[in-house]
Amino acid sequence: MPPAVPPGSEPASRRGVPASRPAMEKMSRSGAALGGAALSGRTMFCHLDAPANAISVCRDAAQVVVAGRNIFKIYGIEEEQFVEKLNLRVGRKPSLNFSCADVVWHQMDENLLATAATNGVVVTWNLGKPSRNKQDQLFTEHKRTVNKVCFHPTEVYMLLSGSQDGYMKCFDLRKKDSVSTFSGQSESVRDVQFSIRDYFTFAATFENGNVQLWDIRRPDRYERMFTAHNGPVFCCDWHPEDRGWLATGGRDKMVKVWDMNTTRAKEIYCVQTIASVARVKWRPECKHHIATCSMMVDHNIYVWDVRRPFIPSAMFEEHKDVTTGIVWRHLHDPYFLLSGSKDSTLYQHIFKDASQPIDRANPEGLCYSLYGDLAFAAKESLISSDSNRKPYIGDRRHPIFFKRKLDPTEQFEYISSSSALSVFETDVESGSMDWFVHTAKQYALAGRPLAELCDHNAKVAKGLDRNQVAQTWTMLRIIYSSLGTVSSANLNHSMGKGSAALPLMNSFNLKDIPTGLGSESRLDRSKGESRTENILLDSSSTLINNEDNEETEGSDVPADYLLGDVEADEDDLYMMDHENPHAEEQEYSLPQEAFPLRHEIVDNPSALDHLQDKADSPHVSGNEAETVSLTPVESFSLISISHSLYENRLPSDFFNPIVRDTLLFYAEQGDVQTAVSVLIVLGDRIRKEIDEQTQEHWYTSYIDLLQRFQLWNISNEVIKLSTCRAINCLNQASTTLHINCSNCKRPMSNRGWICDRCRQCASMCAVCHHVVKGLFVWCQGCSHGGHLQHIMKWLETSSHCPAGCGHLCEYT
Amino acid sequence: MLQGAKQGCCSLPCNETGNSLAHLGCSWAKEKRVQVSPPLTRGPSAFIPENEVMQANGLDERTNLLVEEYSTSGRLDNITQVMSIHTQYLESFLRSQFYMLRMDGPLPLPYRHYIAIMAAARHQCSYLINMHVDEFLKTGGIAEWLNGLEYIPQRLKNLNEINKLLAHRPWLITKEHIQKLVKTGENNWSLPELVHAVVLLAHYHALASFVFGSGINPERDPDTSNGVRLIAVNNFCVCDLANDNNIENASLTSSNFGIADSLSELEALMERMKRLQEDKEDEEASQEEMDTRFEKEKKESLLVISGAFDDEIVSTDVSRYIEDPGFGYKDFARRGEDHLPTFRAQDYTWENHGFSLVNRLYSDIGHLLDEKFRMVYNLTYNTMATHEDVDTTTLRRALFNYVHCMYGIRYDDYDYGEVNQLLERSLKVYIKTVTCYPERTTKRMYDSYWRQFKHSEKVHVNLLLMEARMQAELLYALRAITRHLT
């Protein structure tokens, strides 16, 4: 059998670790060399007076402009600090024209800036103006807030704007008005970006999730359009090198990279972030890297390698509020990132100070194969470190080394990572979980008195050679169903009668057991039993055993019963139990006034009520059944034990801590089944002893296990019986049933009986040929069906399908 | 028969409330002498004739929707019937309401209905209270809670403060309020639970506006077979606020002189709209001018209703669900008081911020609300009264923004002068009443604006007001939660 390849090992090989420091610094220098002037600096920040909405850098990478509702300033970026160069917000009561939603600095002309104002005005600024007010031109053509402005990358006078009113406008700065207007024919425009390589092309993103490509010469119609995101597309960015790539970020928390070279825009990469994406910016000189920041909740800036969408390759965590603007300081330098934020700070981030989540993540993979083998892959260093440990017998090690060929163009070099893969084979015998399945199927969890439940479950456990569990059930029965229920008068009475009727042998046995020792010796025995089968059952233990199983035994054959022949009798006994439970049921579904009917917070009260009834019923029934069915010749040792306990005045919850420990023990051992079953059977008696979370944890584990074994019914029963709120509501989730039309095979959206598309009644009754509204029953074999009543009637007389298809339908 | 019994029970308190309202609510002195009569109208609304509601209007689609609603909820309440005039909207309304009340969510079902009760009680909307008392019991709520706020768990009680603020002065909600609720402790709220609660509160405050604004009649529920409901209905006397001036209105609306008048009004309104749409940049307003226009609108909204309502009578049936009943809407821009910062719409928008937060904490509701807001904002039939092919965008936007203006939310890119040009005074009175003090809405107010317009158009106005109000409340609450998170 070939070892299953663990999925975890694959990411381990793909995921790289960034280059070591020295290498990076070297790269930094070479990167800077590209730009002409050496960039240097450190991670630094300065306080702004107000939250920033957007930032943009000057071509020379030495200045940055910060714009926001109440701020519009230019800062010089120096070695150690930011220095305020110019405040463009002048005038005593600055107008709304200064309230910027976006700002952009021309990459050709360092005196030229443009801002988008929240009141819908596009403003250009000329820093070369001698006066204090650098405002140059004012375009008031948009009716709503302008979300984005963008200069043409090579053309000095061309400016593009996108607004909330759904229009994009192209301005020639030499003219007073826009030269062309592009109508997106939809809701607001969120971003516009000129293509870096294609002179005439620009991309626009929209609130409805669409992206449009336009030719600047053709304002009448977009070139192409595709839906990129679910919900608004907040931003887009053209790849600086690859002309076909466009990255988009949306409210749906995705960053997508589109290849636009093909006739249909093709999604080539997709990164799932944790919050809506406000900005995306390709990292210079790194083909696959992209920086993002989010609009809400998440304050960090991430740099992703789009090929590894699961973990950011770098992360900047400096900001205390959402980051609103990010920009790479220089067109050709990948190591300096500037960012502005709502927390009123402006930061310069240096790549070498970035936190790299990859360092903290241990690439490990763990997987089960079909046959129960376990494969585990981890970094070699981790595995070898504990090599002094004795290898597990089943351990077959496959030291596999994954090496990645270095890509010379790659900025981030991957150090060759190697992982070791271990496969643990399970031996077939021990791995068998048959006992689990059988137990799950046979356990009775509710619906009968506690004592019966315990007995039944003990028998099930015993049948599967799980003696310890069987003993546990037996003990639970003794602890909870006999305590404090037998009034002393009653006891004496039965004692008297019992002793009168019983043969002498029994009383003899009784004397043999020292008072109070009964339970103790049983404990010992239960431990012993888990190892070896009973070597010898002395008469007293037989007695106890009998007592455990005894319930409705008549008084006529006590001697036989006590003398053994347990197995046969037991079966008979249970047969009887099954046959006449109704008489007793009447008794244990007694009026419940004494019990709190409702949980304080109830999700589905009807379900819960039902459940509470059940949970409570064993309690009631325990009492009732016990007192009632305590016939004079009730097995003797039971009485003696309970009698002795009773005399010690032990309250019924005296054993709760022990039971709790037992359950914890089982859960710890991995036998969550026992723990949960006991929990359900005991219900309120033990529930308060164990904290909610643990219970919930047990329940979920057990339900998970049951579902893995496809024991759906049982898992459902467990969910229903559980008293945890969180578990209980599992059943209330996704309860919708979708149906398809029987004619056109498409989903029926509106009503169950008529299809919107083909206008036909979808569900006709096969008997009366009328539309079925209300209860509809159909055969899973031939899928014909109809009114419940009709089908029932039909199948009483005929075994064939009423539709005449020849199928032998069954109605149960 | 049942209806008769109900009315009999009602008659006394109705008289009282009606009179007091007539006395207090309207400055028209003559109304004091108006005799109060039981509601004349049948059908879902007291303001709208029954046949108007049932009028064929995309009949096919509409019946489909109603049938669907009936089959899912087992009834067709009056709200649904009135809203069904606008089928498209109704669909998204029902979907979101169904989701927040019945689908998976952080809060248990009875809690949700109780929160709805608490929210409706702030506006003394007995219609909604009755409806949810019923639902509350059906979903297994503890009947004792219905005795009043003293009987509910502390955790729910803690919601009172935010309910109060949200209903009347949402701009006062700060992150401290949020912190107080989510602070770990015995009765703390988790953030998803809180968001769910806030959505419910906002929804029901706004819905109360709609109920009063459209004069929704109490349910004539035929299937009152279970005793609980009957009792509930009788307990909470349904006072029909519309009835205080029915008689007079009948004469008012039928008078010919009014129609001639309103015809010219309509023409003028359309003329103004046209002008606004065509040449916008003609009268280029300076910044200061814009500022003052917003302030003016804000201030003017003060004058719309004189504030002498203090001695309002609240029936005990309702008051048991509220604390501090005297707390009401206070104008955002009352002169001479501390200047509260204007909420700049662009800094915290529903689309960018509110949605993300809500959807993060209470998944999928964001999409439903988003769709609903979008639907109501873009809903148009391109008609105005008797005219067709009219672009009503400016009018709708004016309505929406005027509501937000009263809550202190300002759009930088909106010229509030438009509000003044498009919304006549009687309409402003109506808007202000419906959004801020819905319980004081009267049929007279409803009738006195836009006399030429169809009822369906007025219902459309109500929908806009309701959603604008809900969004405003949500924005304030969500902004506070965001601030708490950062």
Side-chain angles (χ1 to χ4, degrees):
Chain A
M1 179 180 59
V5 179
S9 65
E10 222 182 330
S13 70
R14 263 199 274 125
R15 205 177 290 151
V17 180
S20 54
R21 282 283 145 72
M24 228 172 90
E25 269 154 25
K26 203 176 113 215
M27 290 305 294
S28 156
R29 251 176 272 129
S30 67
L34 280 167
L39 279 188
S40 59
R42 58 182 187 92
T43 297
M44 59 186 184
F45 75 101
C46 77
H47 282 291
L48 311 171
D49 314 325
N53 275 348
I55 62 172
S56 185
V57 282
C58 179
R59 180 177 57 164
D60 63 6
Q63 293 178 88
V64 57
V65 57
V66 183
R69 173 172 293 282
N70 293 312
I71 183 171
F72 190 20
K73 281 182 182 172
I74 291 176
Y75 286 88
I77 310 166
E78 301 193 345
E79 193 76 12
E80 294 290 313
Q81 60 185 348
F82 289 104
V83 176
E84 186 180 326
K85 281 271 175 70
L86 188 61
N87 188 357
L88 289 156
R89 201 177 152 81
V90 291
R92 257 175 299 124
K93 200 171 182 239
S95 76
L96 271 184
N97 295 346
F98 286 99
S99 160
C100 306
D102 191 34
V103 64
V104 62
W105 204 320
H106 205 296
Q107 291 304 306
M108 305 283 294
D109 181 350
E110 50 197 50
N111 276 333
L112 192 55
L113 281 96
T115 58
T118 49
N119 62 353
V121 180
V122 176
V123 193
T124 59
W125 309 80
N126 184 358
L127 299 181
K129 266 190 168 180
S131 68
R132 249 185 94 219
N133 190 350
K134 310 283 185 196
Q135 187 172 318
D136 195 16
Q137 266 176 298
L138 216 62
F139 301 101
T140 51
E141 292 184 33
H142 284 295
K143 288 191 185 121
R144 305 283 306 268
T145 299
V146 179
N147 286 320
K148 199 76 188 176
V149 281
C150 176
F151 279 115
H152 195 276
T154 51
E155 201 61 52
V156 181
Y157 297 109
M158 206 185 283
L159 176 68
L160 189 67
S161 66
S163 154
Q164 196 80 13
D165 59 15
Y167 291 102
M168 296 140 276
K169 286 179 189 285
C170 184
F171 303 98
D172 185 330
L173 300 186
R174 293 163 295 195
K175 292 180 185 161
K176 279 184 77 176
D177 295 320
S178 63
V179 285
S180 43
T181 301
F182 310 87
S183 167
Q185 301 289 349
S186 82
E187 294 161 82
S188 39
V189 187
R190 301 309 300 242
D191 199 357
V192 283
Q193 291 290 340
F194 274 111
S195 165
I196 290 167
R197 294 301 158 98
D198 293 329
Y199 185 89
F200 294 112
T201 309
F202 73 88
T205 71
F206 291 85
E207 191 135 307
N208 58 6
N210 287 342
V211 172
Q212 294 178 354
L213 286 197
W214 290 81
D215 187 316
I216 201 85
R217 296 161 297 186
R218 289 196 56 194
D220 54 327
R221 213 190 123 72
Y222 52 80
E223 299 272 280
R224 62 209 279 196
M225 176 169 85
F226 60 95
T227 302
H229 290 268
N230 180 13
V233 190
F234 286 139
C235 52
C236 66
D237 195 31
W238 290 95
H239 197 283
E241 293 151 33
D242 199 312
R243 73 171 59 202
W245 285 14
L246 178 74
T248 58
R251 194 171 72 179
D252 58 359
K253 308 177 190 175
M254 309 261 224
V255 178
K256 291 181 179 173
V257 180
W258 304 87
D259 185 355
M260 314 293 275
N261 290 323
T262 48
T263 45
R264 266 180 72 109
K266 202 173 95 199
E267 180 187 326
I268 44 175
Y269 295 111
C270 177
V271 177
Q272 174 91 47
T273 68
I274 57 167
S276 55
V277 182
R279 312 262 171 182
V280 290
K281 280 273 179 274
W282 287 101
R283 189 175 175 206
E285 314 287 320
C286 301
K287 192 175 177 202
H288 291 103
H289 283 202
I290 192 162
T292 70
C293 66
S294 81
M295 180 88 68
M296 277 292 284
V297 192
D298 186 15
H299 310 157
N300 299 340
I301 301 163
Y302 301 103
V303 179
W304 301 86
D305 185 323
V306 288
R307 295 162 303 178
R308 293 157 175 243
F310 307 107
I311 191 161
S313 70
M315 195 159 108
F316 300 101
E317 303 166 297
E318 280 85 0
H319 285 298
K320 306 260 183 317
D321 201 337
V322 283
T323 310
T324 47
I326 48 174
V327 60
W328 295 95
R329 187 170 156 193
H330 191 275
L331 221 54
H332 295 289
D333 186 305
Y335 298 107
F336 292 85
L337 181 70
L338 301 168
S339 70
S341 158
K342 276 242 162 89
D343 65 3
S344 306
T345 55
L346 172 67
Y347 258 94
Q348 168 166 278
H349 309 278
I350 306 294
F351 232 75
K352 65 173 197 276
D353 294 336
S355 81
Q356 285 161 348
I358 193 93
D359 289 347
R360 281 175 268 151
N362 267 324
E364 283 161 14
L366 186 71
C367 189
Y368 268 112
S369 86
L370 187 60
Y371 303 102
D373 297 354
L374 175 71
F376 172 70
K379 266 190 191 160
E380 215 188 0
S381 53
L382 284 175
I383 301 255
S384 54
S385 68
D386 57 13
S387 58
N388 51 351
R389 230 179 43 194
K390 208 177 86 193
Y392 181 67
I393 309 154
D395 181 2
R396 237 202 301 131
R397 291 211 170 181
H398 300 261
I400 298 172
F401 295 91
F402 300 99
K403 262 204 177 110
R404 197 165 188 285
K405 227 176 111 192
L406 289 181
D407 184 350
T409 62
E410 214 47 62
Q411 291 291 326
F412 256 139
E413 294 158 42
Y414 298 100
I415 51 168
S416 58
S417 55
S418 59
S419 322
L421 173 70
S422 315
V423 176
F424 302 90
E425 287 177 342
T426 46
D427 84 86
V428 184
E429 298 298 304
S430 70
S432 163
M433 291 281 279
D434 286 348
W435 61 269
F436 178 87
V437 179
H438 286 303
T439 318
K441 282 185 180 157
Q442 291 170 28
Y443 265 178
L445 299 176
R448 284 192 267 164
L450 176 67
E452 272 182 46
L453 291 176
C454 289
D455 285 343
H456 176 86
N457 293 346
K459 194 178 147 239
V460 169
K462 195 155 184 141
L464 292 161
D465 282 342
R466 301 175 72 217
N467 289 311
Q468 193 179 355
V469 179
Q471 286 302 327
T472 309
W473 282 112
T474 317
M475 283 166 61
L476 288 172
R477 185 216 153 158
I478 294 171
I479 292 172
Y480 287 102
S481 65
S482 47
L483 270 181
T485 58
V486 188
S487 73
S488 56
N490 211 343
L491 197 72
N492 287 339
H493 177 67
S494 60
M495 278 286 273
K497 272 202 180 173
S499 53
L502 279 172
L504 209 89
M505 187 179 72
N506 286 325
S507 57
F508 172 72
N509 279 339
L510 234 180
K511 275 181 214 154
D512 258 5
I513 310 166
T515 341
L517 204 93
S519 57
E520 208 130 283
S521 69
R522 289 164 46 71
L523 268 174
D524 289 342
R525 201 169 61 80
S526 76
K527 276 179 195 149
E529 250 183 20
S530 65
R531 288 247 160 263
T532 57
E533 283 304 313
N534 306 346
I535 307 157
L536 233 169
L537 290 178
D538 61 347
S539 57
S540 68
S541 61
T542 316
L543 241 178
I544 293 164
N545 252 353
N546 288 342
E547 157 266 306
D548 290 339
N549 302 318
E550 215 282 343
E551 178 74 16
T552 48
E553 177 65 19
S555 57
D556 43 351
V557 282
D560 271 357
Y561 186 52
L562 289 170
L563 283 173
D565 213 6
V566 183
E567 293 302 316
D569 259 357
E570 249 176 17
D571 283 343
D572 287 345
L573 210 65
Y574 275 92
M575 292 294 282
M576 273 174 64
D577 267 6
H578 285 301
E579 273 163 18
N580 59 356
H582 295 291
E584 269 187 26
E585 226 146 286
Q586 294 301 322
E587 286 181 359
Y588 54 74
S589 54
L590 281 170
Q592 308 242 338
E593 281 100 351
F595 301 92
L597 270 176
R598 285 203 177 90
H599 203 251
E600 190 199 348
I601 299 159
V602 184
D603 248 355
N604 184 344
S606 64
L608 206 89
D609 270 355
H610 179 54
L611 186 137
Q612 287 257 333
D613 278 351
K614 284 200 170 163
D616 281 339
S617 64
H619 191 69
V620 187
S621 64
N623 298 346
E624 299 289 330
E626 214 54 49
T627 44
V628 170
S629 69
L630 213 61
T631 49
V633 261
E634 185 65 75
S635 161
F636 212 72
S637 48
L638 161 67
I639 296 168
S640 74
I641 287 170
S642 54
H643 184 61
S644 68
L645 291 174
Y646 183 75
E647 279 183 344
N648 289 340
R649 304 246 179 270
L650 292 177
S652 69
D653 54 359
F654 175 77
F655 291 105
N656 276 356
I658 298 173
V659 175
R660 185 194 59 212
D661 290 345
T662 316
L663 295 193
L664 289 173
F665 167 78
Y666 279 120
E668 196 67 25
Q669 292 253 302
D671 184 6
V672 74
Q673 183 177 45
T674 307
V676 171
S677 303
V678 171
L679 199 59
I680 291 176
V681 168
L682 291 183
D684 277 339
R685 296 180 191 80
I686 193 70
R687 200 148 48 87
K688 289 180 196 71
E689 293 285 323
I690 302 159
D691 70 292
E692 279 274 318
Q693 250 181 334
T694 317
Q695 286 190 35
E696 199 182 313
H697 184 65
W698 290 354
Y699 274 120
T700 41
S701 320
Y702 187 38
I703 289 162
D704 187 43
L705 272 173
L706 287 172
Q707 291 180 344
R708 271 166 196 264
F709 284 100
Q710 309 191 340
L711 300 165
W712 312 114
N713 288 342
I714 296 158
S715 92
N716 236 10
E717 194 191 343
V718 169
I719 292 172
K720 217 170 100 187
L721 291 172
S722 80
T723 40
C724 284
R725 231 208 304 172
I727 301 299
N728 229 319
C729 62
L730 284 180
N731 259 356
Q732 290 163 16
S734 53
T735 49
T736 320
L737 182 71
H738 298 279
I739 47 176
N740 285 355
C741 170
S742 58
N743 286 321
C744 60
K745 307 279 184 281
R746 274 180 293 191
M748 313 229 295
S749 50
N750 255 349
R751 276 150 298 160
W753 60 83
I754 188 163
C755 175
D756 282 340
R757 292 201 177 73
C758 54
R759 296 262 156 220
Q760 293 219 14
C761 290
S763 46
M764 300 284 236
C765 174
V767 180
C768 68
H769 298 281
H770 284 293
V771 180
V772 185
K773 298 180 184 179
L775 287 179
F776 184 80
V777 62
W778 70 95
C779 168
Q780 296 189 331
C782 64
S783 71
H784 291 114
H787 292 105
L788 179 61
Q789 298 293 332
H790 292 165
I791 297 290
M792 274 166 74
K793 212 172 246 167
W794 177 272
L795 290 175
E796 270 170 20
T797 55
S798 166
S799 57
H800 284 272
C801 173
C805 67
H807 187 257
L808 287 167
C809 301
E810 241 179 282
Y811 179 82
T812 45
Chain B
M1 199 180 78
L2 183 74
Q3 182 69 9
K6 240 189 277 177
Q7 275 169 14
C9 135
C10 276
S11 65
L12 203 127
C14 270
N15 262 329
E16 237 174 60
T17 325
N19 272 334
S20 70
L21 262 174
H23 169 64
L24 300 163
C26 322
S27 44
W28 304 286
K30 54 190 168 179
E31 282 196 17
K32 277 180 193 167
R33 59 176 167 78
V34 169
Q35 268 297 311
V36 173
S37 59
L40 297 172
T41 42
R42 288 277 171 270
S45 162
F47 295 172
I48 309 165
E50 191 169 5
N51 57 349
E52 282 270 347
V53 178
M54 292 307 155
Q55 206 176 42
N57 183 358
L59 194 64
D60 201 24
E61 192 188 352
R62 186 170 157 195
T63 35
N64 275 351
L65 192 70
L66 291 180
V67 166
E68 187 192 354
E69 165 65 8
Y70 186 76
S71 58
T72 50
S73 72
R75 66 153 160 213
L76 217 48
D77 52 39
N78 289 340
I79 296 184
T80 312
Q81 288 186 41
V82 173
M83 273 187 195
S84 71
I85 297 172
H86 301 281
T87 323
Q88 287 169 291
Y89 170 81
L90 178 65
E91 197 177 351
S92 47
F93 172 83
L94 288 178
R95 206 178 303 150
S96 69
Q97 182 171 270
F98 185 79
Y99 185 82
M100 66 181 89
L101 281 180
R102 288 170 221 283
M103 298 286 277
D104 300 344
L107 289 175
L109 296 178
Y111 259 56
R112 305 182 193 186
H113 292 292
Y114 201 86
I115 289 170
I117 295 172
M118 287 167 70
R122 283 296 341 165
H123 288 307
Q124 294 133 49
C125 182
S126 29
Y127 174 84
L128 290 174
I129 294 179
N130 284 335
M131 197 152 121
H132 285 281
V133 161
D134 209 12
E135 292 286 322
F136 174 74
L137 292 173
K138 264 190 208 154
T139 51
I142 299 168
E144 199 193 9
W145 293 10
L146 296 176
N147 293 338
L149 291 182
E150 308 91 79
Y151 297 89
I152 59 172
Q154 186 61 36
R155 203 161 93 95
L156 260 182
K157 224 188 276 181
N158 290 345
L159 214 56
N160 256 326
E161 177 74 5
I162 208 166
N163 179 24
K164 186 177 79 177
L165 291 178
L166 214 50
H168 306 296
R169 301 174 210 168
W171 53 89
L172 294 180
I173 293 180
T174 60
K175 70 173 180 189
E176 282 74 27
H177 291 115
I178 306 295
Q179 264 154 12
K180 223 166 31 185
L181 285 170
V182 300
K183 192 180 63 191
T184 48
E186 204 183 339
N187 297 309
N188 74 322
W189 288 75
S190 72
L191 273 175
E193 284 172 328
L194 182 61
V195 166
H196 192 172
V198 161
V199 169
L200 280 169
L201 288 174
H203 180 82
Y204 279 97
H205 292 151
L207 195 57
S209 284
F210 181 82
V211 167
F212 286 110
S214 313
I216 300 289
N217 270 338
E219 295 294 333
R220 298 183 284 180
D221 212 328
D223 48 57
T224 36
S225 48
N226 69 27
V228 183
R229 182 177 171 83
L230 200 64
I231 291 163
V233 170
N234 287 337
N235 256 349
F236 304 101
C237 161
V238 187
C239 313
D240 191 351
L241 286 155
N243 57 22
D244 56 340
N245 33 29
N246 257 335
I247 295 173
E248 203 188 14
N249 269 308
S251 61
L252 234 174
T253 41
S254 61
S255 68
N256 284 329
F257 113 93
I259 288 176
D261 204 28
S262 60
L263 256 177
S264 58
E265 263 172 34
L266 175 68
E267 299 298 337
L269 175 61
M270 289 192 55
E271 189 53 43
R272 282 196 298 271
M273 276 172 63
K274 217 170 180 178
R275 215 174 48 230
L276 280 173
Q277 254 148 19
E278 276 166 4
D279 38 35
K280 214 173 151 195
E281 54 269 52
D282 256 19
E283 17 127 25
E284 191 51 49
S286 77
Q287 204 46 57
E288 288 72 19
E289 176 62 22
M290 298 287 269
D291 281 344
T292 40
R293 279 182 194 170
F294 177 71
E295 296 300 323
K296 199 173 125 212
E297 250 356 281
K298 244 167 47 178
K299 296 243 165 71
E300 219 175 60
S301 70
L302 300 183
L303 310 171
V304 163
I305 291 185
S306 53
F309 284 98
D310 296 327
D311 47 348
E312 194 128 13
I313 297 159
V314 182
S315 76
T316 50
D317 296 321
V318 173
S319 66
R320 63 175 109 169
Y321 298 117
I322 46 180
E323 215 172 46
D324 190 6
F327 190 92
Y329 175 85
K330 203 161 130 201
D331 292 291
F332 182 78
R334 190 160 277 193
R335 279 153 300 180
E337 276 188 29
D338 290 346
H339 188 66
L340 280 157
T342 306
F343 187 116
R344 298 292 188 147
Q346 271 88 352
D347 289 353
Y348 199 95
T349 63
W350 164 256
E351 287 81 14
N352 295 359
H353 306 93
F355 171 88
S356 300
L357 184 69
V358 133
N359 222 33
R360 183 186 198 87
L361 293 170
Y362 177 20
S363 57
D364 290 345
I365 192 71
H367 290 290
L368 294 170
L369 293 178
D370 203 34
E371 192 200 315
K372 188 161 65 116
F373 289 142
R374 204 166 287 201
M375 168 66 68
V376 83
Y377 199 87
N378 295 329
L379 186 69
T380 181
Y381 305 97
N382 293 318
T383 57
M384 266 179 82
T386 48
H387 299 259
E388 286 185 1
D389 284 330
V390 191
D391 183 0
T392 56
T393 318
T394 47
L395 198 56
R396 284 179 283 134
R397 198 166 163 220
L399 287 167
F400 202 85
N401 287 359
Y402 186 61
V403 172
H404 279 193
C405 168
M406 284 186 301
Y407 281 102
I409 299 176
R410 175 177 176 186
Y411 290 84
D412 287 344
D413 54 359
Y414 189 67
D415 175 6
Y416 286 84
E418 283 187 22
V419 169
N420 227 11
Q421 291 186 50
L422 297 177
L423 309 184
E424 61 192 58
R425 192 175 160 79
S426 55
L427 177 55
K428 279 187 182 169
V429 170
Y430 179 74
I431 295 175
K432 172 106 184 195
T433 316
V434 165
T435 46
C436 303
Y437 330 89
E439 61 276 15
R440 292 176 196 162
T441 315
T442 60
K443 185 163 174 17
R444 188 198 167 86
M445 291 179 190
Y446 175 84
D447 285 331
S448 63
Y449 80 93
W450 282 7
R451 280 177 228 157
Q452 276 299 295
F453 281 67
K454 288 180 226 135
H455 283 294
S456 71
E457 286 167 320
K458 291 194 170 185
V459 171
H460 188 175
V461 169
N462 280 333
L463 295 178
L464 268 167
L465 301 185
M466 158 171 142
E467 293 301 335
R469 175 173 182 200
M470 178 171 183
Q471 201 182 72
E473 285 186 19
L474 275 180
L475 283 176
Y476 275 112
L478 293 174
R479 188 178 67 163
I481 293 176
T482 309
R483 285 183 175 164
H484 159 75
L485 286 174
T486 51

